[in-house]
Amino acid sequence: MTPTEIQHSDLVGTSAEAVRAAIRTASYTGHTAGLAAGKLQCNLAILPEKYALDFLRFCQRNPKPCPIVGVGDSGDPTLPTLGRDIDIRTDVPKYRVFRNGTLREEVTDITDVWTDDLVTVALGCSFTFENALLRNGIPVRHVESGLNVPMFRTNIDLVPAGRFGGQMVVTMRPIPEAQVEQAREISRRFPQAHGAPIAAGDPADIGITDLARPDWGDPVEMKSGEVPVYWACGVTPQNVLLDAGLPICITHSPGHMLISDVAEDAETTILTKT
Amino acid sequence: MTPTEIQHSDLVGTSAEAVRAAIRTASYTGHTAGLAAGKLQCNLAILPEKYALDFLRFCQRNPKPCPIVGVGDSGDPTLPTLGRDIDIRTDVPKYRVFRNGTLREEVTDITDVWTDDLVTVALGCSFTFENALLRNGIPVRHVESGLNVPMFRTNIDLVPAGRFGGQMVVTMRPIPEAQVEQAREISRRFPQAHGAPIAAGDPADIGITDLARPDWGDPVEMKSGEVPVYWACGVTPQNVLLDAGLPICITHSPGHMLISDVAEDAETTILTKT
């Protein structure tokens, strides 16, 4: 399964194709933060065709947590609008396979699980706007600290569709008060990656009780003069999928994203012919 | 059917709700250009649920001609994310009903045609970026001239999905050469309304033979120093739907759009609770 163990540092600076190739053979099974710089990375949701129309409606109605960047044909493991050689059965470093809403296994290849009625939905991810914040001199605390971003359940209701619904999950990044507006303007330019923050300031306003105790990820330091800023999070659709209790659904493992060939700052998430 | 005949000029300056109310009773059955200023107007495609997943995949893969701004539940004529009181069976001034790819009737109400398996898809329209061009001092010739925008078939292949595919239709606007870049930057800010131009200059480059003979709409004057600039057009999905020969499909009549309550410059096309 793992012919040669490749490290994260070996892949920094290599192309999206090269990273996917290492992932495809399971030579690399780690997280994708900082890899294939400048390319769009994607959250992954694979579900039976029977539920796909409702799930797409759900994502369309909740574009901040669920920005759709690619949808596969039923039973087709390729995603030609996101990358010319993508095979979704092998090209994600780590997958989670759920049955009836319960995690059954975490694997590096879903070839054995794949069936002709599965539909792949790729959703944008926060790496895109974090890179833009960092490029513009805005600190991203969990990146500085080598931690996972803190994620919180909120009381913000999602717009339901079919059996999909619930409350939004957000990420929190402490931003110096003087840079909050700039952070908002920068992230708003990336609607395919959660867009502008959905709130800033008092966590109680959105139903968060304790910023020191995230529901997922790691707590991060809040420095003097910083404001907690909240962005819609890609864990939202994962939660919603689990709550829906589908017979089968497959997601990426947190941080182990699909790397596309689409430029992060492209006007659309559709590869143009070259 | 028409208790009181309301004129376009009577509705200029009134709210989106007031315009929809006049349309709902068929007191107004005219075009919607210039009405409900600042609100997003929408192209309309209504089709059987059986084909909706493929059609949404088609739109996702061709976001410039087919920007999805709202999707209804199957059989549900409301569109709460676009307007709180929308009933899609009555709230468009004029509809075209197609059966097996053939235009059967043009009506002001589709209550009799509506069935429990129909899905409404609302798509963005060029009025949005035209308003922004005009606000920024960029001329829009067909508006100045009181004409319909010229539309052309191109040789640009769409990304297919299921039975949906074909070539892109574009609109053309002559823009002074010095303002082409500004026009591009402005329209790029409206991904929900066709975004940046897909081409500029020689019509032959995209398979257009004669700018004086549009496939739909009116020819417009090209002044000295102006460049023809081409934007993806909402007639594209209409054509694609007709070519697909669905048992039934319903669109708006050209220029007779659905008026939403969503602000044209909102970050998303989803109404937020107020």
Side-chain angles (χ1 to χ4, degrees):
Chain A
M1 201 68 183
T2 311
T4 321
E5 200 66 56
I6 293 178
Q7 302 302 309
H8 185 273
S9 56
D10 300 331
L11 292 172
V12 172
T14 66
S15 71
E17 293 85 345
V19 178
R20 280 203 304 275
I23 290 169
R24 188 169 303 145
T25 55
S27 304
Y28 182 70
T29 60
H31 73 83
T32 54
L35 298 182
K39 298 300 185 190
L40 188 74
Q41 296 200 23
C42 310
N43 290 292
L44 184 67
I46 298 174
L47 71 169
E49 184 185 50
K50 181 178 173 187
Y51 307 102
L53 175 60
D54 275 339
F55 187 64
L56 292 188
R57 284 194 272 225
F58 173 77
C59 293
Q60 191 277 323
R61 293 171 192 177
N62 299 281
K64 305 260 290 185
C66 311
I68 300 173
V69 299
V71 184
D73 282 334
S74 304
D76 183 347
T78 72
L79 289 170
T81 61
L82 285 173
R84 292 207 201 292
D85 67 348
I86 291 176
D87 184 329
I88 203 62
R89 298 170 299 186
T90 53
D91 286 7
V92 168
K94 209 173 281 177
Y95 305 81
R96 288 183 165 178
V97 181
F98 297 83
R99 293 187 191 271
N100 304 310
T102 304
L103 176 62
R104 285 300 174 85
E105 48 179 353
E106 191 159 50
V107 293
T108 61
D109 186 310
I110 54 164
T111 304
D112 292 347
V113 181
W114 188 262
T115 55
D116 277 354
D117 72 328
L118 291 178
V119 174
T120 302
V121 182
L123 302 164
C125 117
S126 56
F127 289 165
T128 298
F129 76 80
E130 286 180 351
N131 294 343
L133 294 178
L134 290 167
R135 274 199 305 278
N136 284 276
I138 297 178
V140 179
R141 182 65 29 78
H142 68 276
V143 175
E144 286 171 358
S145 318
L147 298 169
N148 194 358
V149 66
M151 290 163 268
F152 300 89
R153 294 180 189 276
T154 72
N155 61 8
I156 302 168
D157 285 331
L158 300 162
V159 184
R163 59 167 72 195
F164 303 108
Q167 281 78 39
M168 195 186 297
V169 175
V170 298
T171 53
M172 188 283 287
R173 292 165 189 78
I175 305 286
E177 190 160 11
Q179 292 182 293
V180 169
E181 195 46 42
Q182 195 195 353
R184 178 183 306 277
E185 279 165 26
I186 290 168
S187 54
R188 194 187 199 278
R189 287 180 219 148
F190 298 95
Q192 80 283 22
H194 306 310
I198 55 106
D202 189 352
D205 287 350
I206 55 172
I208 298 173
T209 47
D210 187 353
L211 285 180
R213 299 180 61 185
D215 293 296
W216 299 271
D218 303 311
V220 294
E221 186 192 359
M222 181 86 63
K223 296 183 180 172
S224 170
E226 289 182 339
V227 176
V229 180
Y230 311 95
W231 277 267
C233 175
V235 165
T236 308
Q238 294 214 6
N239 264 8
V240 163
L241 276 169
L242 297 196
D243 289 349
L246 306 187
I248 183 167
C249 112
I250 304 163
T251 70
H252 67 288
S253 291
H256 297 63
M257 319 303 281
L258 171 67
I259 295 175
S260 79
D261 293 329
V262 173
E264 274 183 344
D265 58 354
E267 190 191 2
T268 76
T269 61
I270 306 301
L271 271 188
T272 46
K273 284 178 189 159
T274 48
Chain B
M1 200 67 183
T2 310
T4 321
E5 199 66 54
I6 293 177
Q7 302 303 309
H8 185 274
S9 56
D10 300 331
L11 292 172
V12 172
T14 66
S15 70
E17 293 85 345
V19 179
R20 279 204 304 275
I23 290 168
R24 187 169 304 145
T25 55
S27 305
Y28 182 70
T29 60
H31 73 83
T32 54
L35 298 181
K39 298 299 186 191
L40 188 75
Q41 296 201 22
C42 312
N43 289 292
L44 184 66
I46 298 174
L47 71 168
E49 183 185 49
K50 182 179 173 185
Y51 307 102
L53 176 60
D54 275 338
F55 187 65
L56 292 187
R57 283 194 273 223
F58 174 77
C59 293
Q60 192 276 323
R61 294 171 192 177
N62 299 282
K64 304 259 292 185
C66 312
I68 300 173
V69 299
V71 185
D73 281 333
S74 303
D76 183 347
T78 71
L79 288 171
T81 61
L82 285 173
R84 291 206 200 295
D85 67 350
I86 292 176
D87 184 330
I88 203 63
R89 298 170 299 185
T90 53
D91 286 9
V92 169
K94 210 172 280 177
Y95 305 81
R96 288 182 166 180
V97 180
F98 297 84
R99 292 185 192 271
N100 305 310
T102 305
L103 176 62
R104 285 298 174 86
E105 48 178 354
E106 190 159 50
V107 294
T108 61
D109 186 310
I110 54 165
T111 304
D112 292 348
V113 182
W114 187 262
T115 53
D116 277 352
D117 72 328
L118 291 177
V119 175
T120 302
V121 182
L123 302 164
C125 116
S126 56
F127 289 165
T128 298
F129 76 80
E130 286 181 351
N131 294 343
L133 294 179
L134 289 167
R135 273 198 307 277
N136 285 276
I138 296 177
V140 179
R141 182 65 29 76
H142 69 275
V143 175
E144 286 171 359
S145 317
L147 297 169
N148 194 357
V149 67
M151 292 163 267
F152 301 89
R153 294 181 189 276
T154 72
N155 61 7
I156 302 169
D157 285 331
L158 299 162
V159 184
R163 59 167 73 196
F164 304 107
Q167 281 77 40
M168 196 186 296
V169 175
V170 299
T171 52
M172 189 281 288
R173 293 165 189 78
I175 305 286
E177 190 161 8
Q179 292 182 294
V180 169
E181 193 47 41
Q182 195 195 353
R184 178 184 305 278
E185 278 166 25
I186 291 167
S187 53
R188 193 186 199 278
R189 287 179 217 147
F190 299 95
Q192 79 283 22
H194 306 309
I198 56 105
D202 189 352
D205 287 350
I206 55 172
I208 298 173
T209 48
D210 187 354
L211 286 180
R213 299 180 61 185
D215 294 294
W216 299 270
D218 302 311
V220 295
E221 186 192 359
M222 182 87 61
K223 296 183 181 170
S224 169
E226 289 181 338
V227 176
V229 180
Y230 311 94
W231 276 267
C233 174
V235 166
T236 308
Q238 293 212 8
N239 264 8
V240 163
L241 277 168
L242 297 196
D243 289 348
L246 307 188
I248 184 167
C249 107
I250 304 163
T251 69
H252 66 289
S253 292
H256 298 62
M257 320 303 281
L258 171 67
I259 295 176
S260 80
D261 293 329
V262 173
E264 275 183 343
D265 58 354
E267 190 192 2
T268 76
T269 62
I270 305 302
L271 271 185
T272 47
K273 285 180 188 155
T274 47

